Amino acid sequence: MARSKAASKKQQKQQQKRGVDFKKIKRKLGRKLPPPKNATNTEVKSKAIVLPEQSVASEKAGLAVSKKGLTLKELLQQTSHHNSKVRRDALMGLKDLFQKYPAELRSHRYAVIEKLRERIGDDDKVVRETLYQLLKTVVFPGCKEDNQGPFVSLMVAYIFNAMTHLAVDVRLMAFKFFDLVVQYYPPSFSLYADKVLQNYEDILRKNQFYLEDKAKLRSALAGLVRCLSLLPCNKRKVDSSEENMAGQKILHAFELDMPAESSGFSSITKKLKDLVPVLVNCFQDFFPSVHHMPLLDAQSFDCMHSILQSIDLVVGFFGYGIHQGKPASQLSYEGPDEAIWDHTISSLLLKKLFGVFPLNPTNHLSEKVDDRFFILNIVITEIFLRCSEWICPPGFLLEKFLQYIENALLGSVRPAVTHGPVKQFGRNIYFFCCLLFQSLCCKWQVIGSLVFFSNCGANHNNGILQAFTKIFEGCNPQSSLKLACLSAIEEMLIPGDDMVYPDASDPLFEYQITWIRALPQLLILLGDKHPSSSQVVLHLLLRLGQCANSSSPFSREYENMQYSLDKFYSSCVDRGDVYYGPFIRLSWDSQELAICGLYYFSNLGPFLLKSIAFCCLCSELEHLVLFRIIEVLHSAFSAGHIQIADYISFFMTLLSRFKVLPENIYPDVESDAKISNRGTFKLLTNTVCSCLSRIGDDSLVFQILEQVIFDQLLLKPPLDNACALLRVLVVLDCKPTRLSEQGIITLSKYLSGYLFEVVHCIPEDDEENSLPTHQQTCCYYMLPCFFLFDRSPKLLKLVLNLMGSLITESSSSPSSHSYTQYGNDNSNQINAVVSALLLMHKDTKVRKIISSFKEEVVHILQIIHSLQVKFLVTGNPENGLAVITYTYDLSGRSQVTSFSLSG
Amino acid sequence: MELLIASSSVADAGIGCWDLESGAEQLRYKSCASPPHGLACVGQRFLASSQLREQPSASSGSILYWSWSKPQVEVKSLPAEPIKPIAANSHGTYIAGGGQSGDIYMWEVASGRLLKKWHAHYRAVTCLVFSQDGSFLISGSEDGCVRIWSLLTVFEECESQRASHLYLHSFTGHTLRITDIVIGYGGVSATIVSASEDRTCKVWSLLKGRLLRNIVFPSVIDAIALDPAEHVFYAGSRDGSIYIAALNAESPSTSSYGMHIIGSLSDHSKAVTCLAYSTGDLLISGSEDGMVRVWDPITHNIVRMFRLAKGPVNNILVVRRPLYLNLGSFSNPHTSSRRHGSQLPPPLDKYVTSADEDVDNKGVIRLPSLYNAPRDASYISHRTIDNHLKELQQQGSSAATEMEVERLKHECNRTLQMVQQWKKMYENLHEFCVNELLDGDQVDGSKRNAV
């Protein structure tokens, strides 16, 4: 029994598997007879091998197929199959196919879209949804690079068709499709704006189904918001996008999209005007749900939010049109204000929208609901502020809104601002303040319709500003709220087109001063961790500087800022211990902004200059930035913003304090910028020299500098710095020298020591195989001396005398001389003198001058000669020998020259 | 026949004037210490230059005029505040000057009247340029702002009141002082190039009012000159070389100087302070060392060098030699000056005069016999046209009153006719109504009677 049952089950299974072809027909009822024992089993067992593509396998060999083995052509055919499941499967198959073979889509996109667009108005919900997914995930991203104009135009006709479909579902879905199109090809909105807006108007008018299908409506409204956000409503935004565009592209390129975009928006004003009442009515329809339901559910909230946003955008567009109309009014003399803004809309908004403000939850249930109401109220406020410029709202309404803004800023409406939609909040703060400032500006000009602000709004303005300042000061420096506050401040600080400054009596002025004072602190607080925020602050500071001329009330504040900005650059903590501010580690852009800001201080004092100088001396600072600072300071100086004494001492500080690394001079290493910054220092010296020579009257500058440089030299700076200082002296000097008598004496004392040092510091190889680089290095250090000798022979005479006496002194009292630390040893001393003389000899020009001081040279030689004898006598043969060889060399040559001259 | 004119900030150098073809030095005009952009040739009739103040205590700088034939200053005007940049439109009808406070002054040359003064920038104006057709004025300022003024808007009262701002465009892309501005050909759709101390040059579109290109240079650019075909522009930098920057083509990014910079001309040891381009395809540069160098821009070689002064050369102009100015007049200036007499317009006014004092006979200038300038005739025709207008208005008004009377008579007749018509209609109506009422009464009466 059991066996047979199992068998029959098996059979059934088999039957099911085999399908209808092999079905056995039961003819008899009852039990089966057992087969006879000798019966042969005649059953033939067979198994079907399912090969779905069997029949057309050969054709499909090289073709792209979907998982189910269907080609593109078959799939496209199936999309118009009468069975909805087949259609859906076909769409799935297409998605599958395109994901596997993206090339297939690219080559056949027009054919594909021509077929797919028929499904936009499909009756079946699932099919439409699948199509949406297909378009969204595969088709549009795949065709993004290509010219989308014709591609989109193929679809749009069907979308509009579906928008007027009888079934509401199809219609709502069509808006979703259009949203998708706009997402990938934004110009399509301006091309078809007329029709789309008409359709939106129609569907929103038929409000019987809103409340049933809020989810669909929500997505459709989201699409509307996206479309309307493409309207130009904020001039600043348009500008900034253009700024980004400028750059790499060809200058006089033919611009494809221009006509479409510019002509598109002017014609739809009327349509938008029709749309506003519909939107407002629609918003009203949601009212009962707000009031009756205990909770404002997410969907109706989204719908309401979208509606309000749409109204906001439309109103913004009107405002933009009015502002734009001004320059255009040169052409047409009828007022653009009346053309765009008519009173039906304003009265409608007044009655239906602003009348119900603020929306309040019936019972305070959860914070989430409170948040939602808050957002809605904020958007309404935004709309109100946007259009308060054109409509004259009655006083009580204004009072109500200003009260709300004030409360919102103070956080009393919603106590928890920190969590929740902070971004939204920040944006709105920015917005409030922009508009507030506009109205305040208008107050100064006293333009007819806006006098009310000064009448009834003054006390609230004050409160709002106070609240704003509180928020600005209170929020975290890194937060996006701070950024929003900053951009609002920029709007309120920088006078607009009319270039009207607030006067000191205005309440705003007081707050402006507070904000300005907070900026440097903020900059220092931000440090180098938040480069983008720092950049915003620096940009604001720069803008402030640009318009803070002497007539501006901010000029004094800007001037005072230099006392608080020093920490941004560097500050001296203790003697010699320097704390570097964030400036050094900021990005190049920010540094540039900061440096440019320096130019606008009308009197850049020594305090800030000192701090900048320390910054410049920091080894971490890019040398490009260093030169940029010098360049800008020079510009500031020539514009009369820096005192000459401060300017010169800035350069002197740079030259005397710059730490050249490594201290030893290896000619080979010098070319390697990574190891040594000597190259930078040489460039710096050149730059400083050229700046100083550009100051003007060289002789005057020289007089100022002479004593300063001597003072610095007597402090015995490292060789490089001394050389730089001497070079400055040389650049400003002329022939014959401008040095004073006293100066020559001082300098001669220093120079004799300097020459020793040069000779000592530059490691000398053997005379024979000395490299050309070595000679160049020597030359670099000796050259300023040579120039000085050339200009003042007296100086050379004094130096030679000193060198002579130095040897005698050191020989009489070894290691007692204070001049040079290298000259402890007698022989070293002599060595140095000799090599210095030799170096001078190598230069032809100096040789000529030296030859006129034969006596002095001969005197030195005599001293050395006597020393030789002394050494030999005292029994210090090694030293003696060394001296002899050198002396021989020198005396030989010099005697030859002197002989030749005398002969 | 072009003249090269150069001035320096050093007062004893004066204004040098050379024949560009022969290289012969012409007259040197004395005692001129001009700031950058402070030299203008007014309609090829004479030279004008603003002056640097000798001492900062001096109350104001002056604007001086030189006639072509005399080396001495002929006319001196003292504006209300120190003017640095000046510019004249190509016909020489207006001179615009930029003040230290950011104001722009606009004078009519022929009368010396200050037509308009307006607040243009936050900080001192650093350069001023007229567009080729004279319809736009472009100003650059110390605050890094470049503004474009349409003279039409500036001068029309109602326009300037209606708009929130006077300017057509305001470009705020630069962060530091504007050093030079040039404008190309093409009227409204011209290209503007501005240079600034922030080491950049920016290319703007006048038509669209937006930035087209930003070029960063290795050093501060103090002067720019536009190639006549506008393929490239030349930028004279403080490091002494003149960079060539592309204006149209996509330049390879491999350039050693930076993006869009094609090459450089270099010989200057010192900073280039001014540049000019002559129609003879020569680039002329002035340098801080007081030399004026003439370059062949194709071969990058120096063709000529002139020595102006010890101090920096500040301005270079290339002007067509005025027709009446033959070489003879240079050789003996005394005779020519006698011949011309004092032919320069009166000095520029200090303040804006009110419109009532408009009728100013100064405007009708003494025409010198020698130069054939139809554009000067326009000053006379202005007066004449005024007279004509007056006459026409007077005549026209009498004729118009006649016509008006005629029209009114006609109207009167027509109205009378209408009144008649209306009366008739009223009577008809009245009659009809009365009849109706009477009939009704009769019916009522008969009914009542029946009852």
Side-chain angles (χ1 to χ4, degrees):
Chain A
M1 252 322 261
R3 201 189 62 90
S4 70
K5 238 187 191 173
S8 71
K9 259 187 190 168
K10 220 177 188 178
Q11 260 182 349
Q12 271 176 353
K13 254 188 195 167
Q14 270 179 349
Q15 274 173 6
Q16 274 172 356
K17 271 182 190 169
R18 276 178 204 155
V20 284
D21 290 351
F22 296 95
K23 201 174 184 182
K24 272 190 177 171
I25 306 153
K26 271 189 178 175
R27 298 236 168 91
K28 284 178 185 168
L29 297 169
R31 244 183 107 167
K32 240 185 190 176
L33 281 171
K37 275 182 188 151
N38 58 350
T40 347
N41 191 359
T42 57
E43 258 177 38
V44 181
K45 281 182 182 167
S46 69
K47 273 187 181 167
I49 305 166
V50 182
L51 292 170
E53 64 270 43
Q54 197 175 25
S55 55
V56 278
S58 53
E59 290 170 44
K60 291 184 184 173
L63 288 176
V65 287
S66 70
K67 263 182 203 162
K68 289 192 177 164
L70 294 168
T71 59
L72 183 64
K73 201 181 165 192
E74 286 166 328
L75 285 168
L76 285 178
Q77 273 171 355
Q78 282 185 9
T79 54
S80 43
H81 197 271
H82 61 87
N83 187 340
S84 66
K85 276 188 183 156
V86 176
R87 291 199 299 260
R88 189 198 64 201
D89 286 348
L91 291 173
M92 300 284 267
L94 278 173
K95 186 175 169 184
D96 188 46
L97 181 79
F98 291 146
Q99 269 170 349
K100 245 192 266 173
Y101 308 96
E104 206 66 1
L105 174 63
R106 243 167 278 141
S107 47
H108 297 116
R109 63 198 150 115
Y110 289 114
V112 169
I113 209 71
E114 269 180 24
K115 206 70 188 160
L116 288 184
R117 61 184 183 171
E118 292 166 13
R119 295 280 67 77
I120 289 172
D122 200 289
D123 295 324
D124 191 83
K125 191 179 167 185
V126 185
V127 174
R128 286 197 309 268
E129 201 56 54
T130 322
L131 175 66
Y132 181 80
Q133 288 306 325
L134 170 67
L135 290 174
K136 190 180 172 184
T137 52
V138 185
V139 177
F140 276 110
C143 301
K144 213 175 175 186
E145 308 87 54
D146 311 306
N147 180 21
Q148 290 183 314
F151 186 69
V152 165
S153 68
L154 281 175
M155 279 194 69
V156 168
Y158 277 77
I159 292 178
F160 287 135
N161 213 5
M163 278 181 183
T164 52
H165 201 274
L166 276 175
V168 178
D169 262 4
V170 178
R171 273 200 214 186
L172 288 171
M173 193 69 198
F175 288 109
K176 218 173 150 187
F177 277 115
F178 190 76
D179 182 28
L180 192 68
V181 170
V182 170
Q183 227 171 336
Y184 279 96
Y185 185 61
S188 60
F189 171 63
S190 59
L191 286 174
Y192 306 104
D194 219 13
K195 269 190 177 171
V196 177
L197 292 177
Q198 180 64 50
N199 281 319
Y200 266 111
E201 202 185 315
D202 290 345
I203 197 149
L204 292 176
R205 246 183 241 281
K206 299 206 176 64
N207 47 9
Q208 68 271 23
F209 42 74
Y210 292 151
L211 309 172
E212 288 96 75
D213 206 353
K214 277 180 194 151
K216 279 273 162 56
L217 189 70
R218 183 175 63 174
S219 65
L221 281 171
L224 181 63
V225 172
R226 190 194 305 283
C227 287
L228 291 176
S229 66
L230 291 171
L231 290 171
C233 66
N234 194 341
K235 210 170 176 209
R236 182 181 298 260
K237 218 185 275 168
V238 174
D239 284 349
S240 66
S241 67
E242 271 171 0
E243 294 274 313
N244 294 336
M245 253 162 59
Q248 320 262 317
K249 62 171 189 171
I250 298 163
L251 207 59
H252 302 295
F254 176 68
E255 284 168 34
L256 259 179
D257 289 338
M258 270 315 277
E261 280 186 40
S262 58
S263 69
F265 293 121
S266 54
S267 59
I268 55 170
T269 317
K270 204 185 135 355
K271 272 275 159 315
L272 289 173
K273 261 191 229 167
D274 295 341
L275 190 65
V276 173
V278 179
L279 283 170
V280 173
N281 285 334
C282 191
F283 183 72
Q284 273 201 322
D285 289 332
F286 274 101
F287 251 54
S289 71
V290 173
H291 284 296
H292 297 312
M293 269 188 280
L295 284 172
L296 178 61
D297 63 312
Q299 282 182 354
S300 32
F301 162 71
D302 281 344
C303 288
M304 288 169 86
H305 190 209
S306 297
I307 290 168
L308 285 177
Q309 272 183 320
S310 304
I311 297 175
D312 184 37
L313 286 165
V314 172
V315 171
F317 171 68
F318 289 154
Y320 174 78
I322 288 168
H323 282 301
Q324 280 296 90
K326 275 178 183 163
S329 65
Q330 288 163 2
L331 303 172
S332 61
Y333 273 90
E334 82 259 53
D337 299 42
E338 290 80 39
I340 294 177
W341 190 257
D342 64 14
H343 292 281
T344 50
I345 295 181
S346 54
S347 61
L348 183 87
L349 288 177
L350 271 178
K351 213 192 306 168
K352 296 197 172 168
L353 197 60
F354 304 144
V356 297
F357 176 85
L359 304 173
N360 279 321
T362 40
N363 40 4
H364 297 272
L365 274 177
S366 70
E367 211 162 64
K368 214 171 174 183
V369 176
D370 280 357
D371 270 355
R372 283 174 184 163
F373 276 103
F374 177 71
I375 290 170
L376 291 181
N377 282 331
I378 287 286
V379 183
I380 297 177
T381 318
E382 205 172 319
I383 299 169
F384 174 76
L385 287 173
R386 264 193 211 278
C387 53
S388 64
E389 217 177 308
W390 315 298
I391 59 177
C392 304
F396 74 92
L397 204 57
L398 191 74
E399 194 87 358
K400 195 162 76 172
F401 274 99
L402 289 175
Q403 186 69 51
Y404 186 80
I405 295 170
E406 193 180 336
N407 290 342
L409 287 176
L410 284 171
S412 63
V413 174
R414 258 187 73 254
V417 184
T418 41
H419 57 89
V422 175
K423 239 185 189 166
Q424 169 89 12
F425 188 66
R427 195 175 71 93
N428 281 300
I429 283 183
Y430 165 63
F431 195 77
F432 287 154
C433 298
C434 293
L435 286 158
L436 200 68
F437 181 64
Q438 273 176 14
S439 47
L440 286 174
C441 271
C442 290
K443 197 183 91 188
W444 295 321
Q445 291 180 347
V446 193
I447 282 181
S449 67
L450 282 156
V451 182
F452 63 85
F453 260 106
S454 55
N455 295 336
C456 72
N459 49 345
H460 280 297
N461 282 343
N462 212 350
I464 289 170
L465 287 171
Q466 200 172 4
F468 173 76
T469 310
K470 209 170 153 192
I471 285 185
F472 172 65
E473 281 168 352
C475 64
N476 196 357
Q478 294 91 295
S479 61
S480 58
L481 190 59
K482 197 78 162 186
L483 275 179
C485 287
L486 279 174
S487 41
I489 286 177
E490 180 168 359
E491 199 78 9
M492 289 191 276
L493 280 183
I494 311 299
D497 295 333
D498 38 21
M499 306 215 284
V500 181
Y501 296 105
D503 48 9
S505 62
D506 198 282
L508 178 65
F509 185 68
E510 200 182 304
Y511 292 105
Q512 283 174 322
I513 298 295
T514 319
W515 301 330
I516 293 174
R517 287 188 183 153
L519 289 176
Q521 298 306 324
L522 175 63
L523 200 58
I524 293 158
L525 267 180
L526 279 171
D528 50 353
K529 298 289 185 304
H530 309 282
S532 56
S533 307
S534 296
Q535 201 163 352
V536 170
V537 181
L538 284 169
H539 188 81
L540 179 55
L541 284 180
L542 177 67
R543 294 274 298 152
L544 204 61
Q546 283 178 337
C547 55
N549 63 346
S550 53
S551 67
S552 151
F554 302 139
S555 61
R556 211 163 55 95
E557 284 308 312
Y558 193 70
E559 286 307 305
N560 288 339
M561 207 180 283
Q562 45 181 304
Y563 299 105
S564 39
L565 259 184
D566 68 316
K567 281 198 186 64
F568 175 63
Y569 293 97
S570 65
S571 50
C572 218
V573 180
D574 278 322
R575 211 153 269 293
D577 225 11
V578 180
Y579 163 77
Y580 292 110
F583 172 76
I584 289 178
R585 288 175 296 274
L586 282 176
S587 72
W588 163 244
D589 293 342
S590 309
Q591 282 175 336
E592 173 81 24
L593 282 175
I595 295 168
C596 289
L598 294 176
Y599 176 83
Y600 293 105
F601 289 112
S602 68
N603 189 7
L604 189 56
F607 189 69
L608 187 58
L609 272 178
K610 190 177 148 197
S611 146
I612 296 166
F614 277 125
C615 231
C616 290
L617 293 173
C618 175
S619 56
E620 282 174 49
L621 194 74
E622 282 278 320
H623 67 275
L624 281 176
V625 180
L626 170 63
F627 293 124
R628 185 78 188 122
I629 290 175
I630 292 175
E631 207 170 79
V632 172
L633 285 182
H634 180 72
S635 296
F637 170 74
S638 41
H641 296 170
I642 304 179
Q643 298 279 321
I644 188 163
D646 297 335
Y647 186 57
I648 287 175
S649 54
F650 174 76
F651 282 142
M652 285 304 111
T653 315
L654 280 194
L655 289 187
S656 57
R657 298 277 183 84
F658 195 91
K659 271 216 178 62
V660 180
L661 298 167
E663 286 191 23
N664 296 334
I665 304 161
Y666 300 109
D668 311 338
V669 180
E670 209 158 294
S671 54
D672 201 345
K674 274 179 198 161
I675 302 170
S676 162
N677 59 358
R678 187 160 279 118
T680 310
F681 186 64
K682 280 182 182 173
L683 259 177
L684 176 69
T685 314
N686 281 345
T687 320
V688 169
C689 285
S690 74
C691 279
L692 286 174
S693 62
R694 254 191 257 167
I695 287 181
D697 194 344
D698 278 355
S699 63
L700 271 175
V701 180
F702 186 83
Q703 276 180 19
I704 300 171
L705 271 176
E706 191 182 0
Q707 200 49 50
V708 181
I709 289 183
F710 287 160
D711 290 347
Q712 286 295 330
L713 285 178
L714 290 179
L715 292 173
K716 300 221 174 315
L719 196 58
D720 284 287
N721 304 69
C723 175
L725 290 171
L726 286 175
R727 273 173 177 257
V728 169
L729 213 57
V730 167
V731 164
L732 295 172
D733 199 7
C734 65
K735 190 175 181 178
T737 185
R738 285 169 177 153
L739 284 166
S740 60
E741 283 297 310
Q742 188 57 43
I744 290 179
I745 294 167
T746 326
L747 196 61
S748 65
K749 278 181 193 157
Y750 176 75
L751 275 186
S752 52
Y754 175 77
L755 286 176
F756 284 162
E757 260 187 79
V758 171
V759 176
H760 266 292
C761 284
I762 302 168
E764 200 177 3
D765 311 324
D766 293 333
E767 188 82 8
E768 285 76 30
N769 54 12
S770 66
L771 300 160
T773 48
H774 169 250
Q775 286 190 352
Q776 276 171 14
T777 321
C778 280
C779 234
Y780 183 81
Y781 292 100
M782 295 298 268
L783 206 61
C785 303
F786 291 170
F787 267 104
L788 287 170
F789 292 156
D790 181 36
R791 287 168 187 173
S792 158
K794 195 185 165 197
L795 180 67
L796 179 58
K797 189 181 167 189
L798 284 173
V799 169
L800 286 175
N801 280 341
L802 270 172
M803 281 161 87
S805 60
L806 218 64
I807 300 174
T808 39
E809 266 179 49
S810 64
S811 62
S812 55
S813 57
S815 75
S816 68
H817 201 266
S818 59
Y819 246 89
T820 159
Q821 71 264 36
Y822 304 104
N824 297 338
D825 199 353
N826 247 335
S827 60
N828 272 351
Q829 192 86 286
I830 294 165
N831 265 354
V833 173
V834 173
S835 2
L837 281 175
L838 276 176
L839 274 174
M840 282 194 241
H841 252 277
K842 275 181 201 157
D843 190 273
T844 46
K845 214 170 179 184
V846 182
R847 184 156 43 186
K848 256 184 207 166
I849 311 163
I850 260 194
S851 59
S852 58
F853 295 104
K854 222 164 28 181
E855 288 172 27
E856 279 75 13
V857 179
V858 170
H859 176 67
I860 294 175
L861 290 179
Q862 277 172 352
I863 295 166
I864 295 173
H865 195 75
S866 64
L867 277 177
Q868 285 171 3
V869 179
K870 201 172 150 194
F871 275 132
L872 287 174
V873 171
T874 49
N876 199 346
E878 281 170 30
N879 271 343
L881 268 176
V883 173
I884 285 169
T885 48
Y886 277 107
T887 327
Y888 173 72
D889 192 18
L890 181 73
S891 58
R893 274 202 234 162
S894 70
Q895 267 150 21
V896 167
T897 44
S898 56
F899 284 142
S900 65
L901 278 166
S902 61
Chain B
M1 289 294 274
E2 281 184 319
L3 287 178
L4 165 64
I5 294 161
S7 73
S8 160
S9 59
V10 183
D12 50 3
I15 304 175
C17 181
W18 293 272
D19 187 311
L20 201 52
E21 254 170 65
S22 64
E25 172 150 18
Q26 318 278 316
L27 215 54
R28 190 168 273 222
Y29 303 96
K30 285 177 187 163
S31 60
C32 167
S34 61
H37 308 289
L39 179 70
C41 175
V42 183
Q44 291 179 34
R45 292 198 301 278
F46 61 92
L47 292 173
S49 167
S50 60
Q51 296 297 301
L52 288 165
R53 288 181 293 172
E54 285 87 40
Q55 306 112 21
S57 58
S59 61
S60 76
S62 54
I63 295 178
L64 306 180
Y65 287 173
W66 289 265
S67 73
W68 287 118
S69 51
K70 274 206 296 190
Q72 286 83 21
V73 177
E74 287 203 20
V75 180
K76 181 172 183 179
S77 20
L78 290 165
E81 65 165 323
I83 298 290
K84 272 190 176 167
I86 60 169
N89 64 343
S90 56
H91 294 304
T93 34
Y94 305 114
I95 288 182
Q100 284 300 99
S101 64
D103 290 352
I104 294 181
Y105 297 75
M106 191 78 131
W107 287 281
E108 185 179 60
V109 174
S111 62
R113 227 151 48 80
L114 178 57
L115 297 175
K116 179 113 182 161
K117 168 197 159 185
W118 71 95
H119 192 50
H121 290 280
Y122 295 120
R123 284 174 179 262
V125 182
T126 55
C127 55
L128 281 173
V129 184
F130 272 101
S131 70
Q132 305 282 344
D133 59 354
S135 57
F136 295 104
L137 178 68
I138 299 144
S139 63
S141 147
E142 209 169 55
D143 60 17
C145 190
V146 177
R147 281 184 171 164
I148 296 166
W149 313 87
S150 161
L151 294 190
L152 214 64
T153 326
V154 167
F155 281 108
E156 260 193 53
E157 292 292 321
C158 64
E159 281 299 330
S160 48
Q161 276 167 11
R162 184 204 285 265
S164 61
H165 49 78
L166 265 177
Y167 56 80
L168 186 68
H169 297 300
S170 175
F171 302 135
T172 53
H174 287 293
T175 50
L176 285 182
R177 199 169 75 96
I178 304 292
T179 52
D180 202 359
I181 296 175
V182 288
I183 179 164
Y185 294 94
V188 227
S189 56
T191 312
I192 298 166
V193 186
S194 62
S196 161
E197 274 181 351
D198 61 9
R199 283 190 178 180
T200 63
C201 283
K202 292 185 198 278
V203 185
W204 312 90
S205 157
L206 179 56
L207 183 68
K208 292 172 202 150
R210 62 183 180 85
L211 180 67
L212 294 178
R213 183 171 284 184
N214 182 25
I215 306 168
V216 183
F217 286 90
S219 178
V220 172
I221 302 299
D222 273 330
I224 33 184
L226 208 57
D227 170 58
E230 294 182 21
H231 288 310
V232 294
F233 71 89
Y234 301 91
S237 84
R238 279 203 191 150
D239 63 10
S241 42
I242 302 170
Y243 295 102
I244 307 170
L247 268 183
N248 53 0
E250 192 103 40
S251 62
S253 54
T254 51
S255 165
S256 56
Y257 305 108
M259 193 76 181
H260 300 302
I261 305 174
I262 305 169
S264 73
L265 306 172
S266 181
D267 170 65
H268 286 285
S269 48
K270 283 200 165 183
V272 182
T273 49
C274 48
L275 283 175
Y277 204 93
S278 95
T279 47
D281 246 2
L282 293 170
L283 180 69
I284 299 135
S285 73
S287 155
E288 207 162 53
D289 56 9
M291 303 296 285
V292 177
R293 292 168 172 82
V294 182
W295 305 77
D296 183 346
I298 298 159
T299 58
H300 295 197
N301 287 329
I302 293 180
V303 186
R304 270 183 210 288
M305 269 168 88
F306 303 109
R307 175 156 195 87
L308 177 70
K310 277 186 178 171
V313 182
N314 267 340
N315 293 287
I316 293 182
L317 296 176
V318 177
V319 291
R320 238 182 48 228
R321 176 188 288 276
L323 284 176
Y324 63 92
L325 193 72
N326 45 10
L327 285 167
S329 70
F330 277 122
S331 57
N332 45 358
H334 293 291
T335 53
S336 66
S337 69
R338 222 175 294 145
R339 220 190 307 162
H340 289 300
S342 173
Q343 49 175 260
L344 291 184
L348 305 172
D349 284 352
K350 209 163 185 175
Y351 303 107
V352 181
T353 46
S354 63
D356 302 337
E357 298 163 37
D358 203 353
V359 189
D360 198 358
N361 286 331
K362 283 180 192 169
V364 188
I365 56 163
R366 300 148 287 254
L367 265 188
S369 54
L370 256 173
Y371 59 89
N372 52 336
R375 62 179 82 91
D376 289 319
S378 70
Y379 297 126
I380 286 182
S381 68
H382 165 69
R383 282 289 286 186
T384 332
I385 280 178
D386 267 358
N387 288 338
H388 273 296
L389 269 176
K390 250 179 215 163
E391 272 177 47
L392 275 172
Q393 271 174 349
Q394 281 163 2
Q395 283 177 3
S397 61
S398 60
T401 35
E402 269 173 41
M403 267 168 66
E404 187 71 13
V405 167
E406 204 62 29
R407 197 179 60 81
L408 286 172
K409 273 181 186 168
H410 188 72
E411 187 97 325
C412 187
N413 283 341
R414 231 162 49 100
T415 332
L416 282 176
Q417 277 175 7
M418 284 287 273
V419 167
Q420 291 297 327
Q421 228 172 344
W422 281 109
K423 266 186 181 170
K424 228 180 197 173
M425 204 184 269
Y426 172 75
E427 273 163 22
N428 286 345
L429 259 174
H430 184 74
E431 208 180 294
F432 173 76
C433 284
V434 169
N435 288 345
E436 281 286 297
L437 277 172
L438 287 177
D439 288 351
D441 275 352
Q442 280 170 3
V443 172
D444 271 4
S446 59
K447 266 185 186 169
R448 235 173 269 154
N449 291 345
V451 169

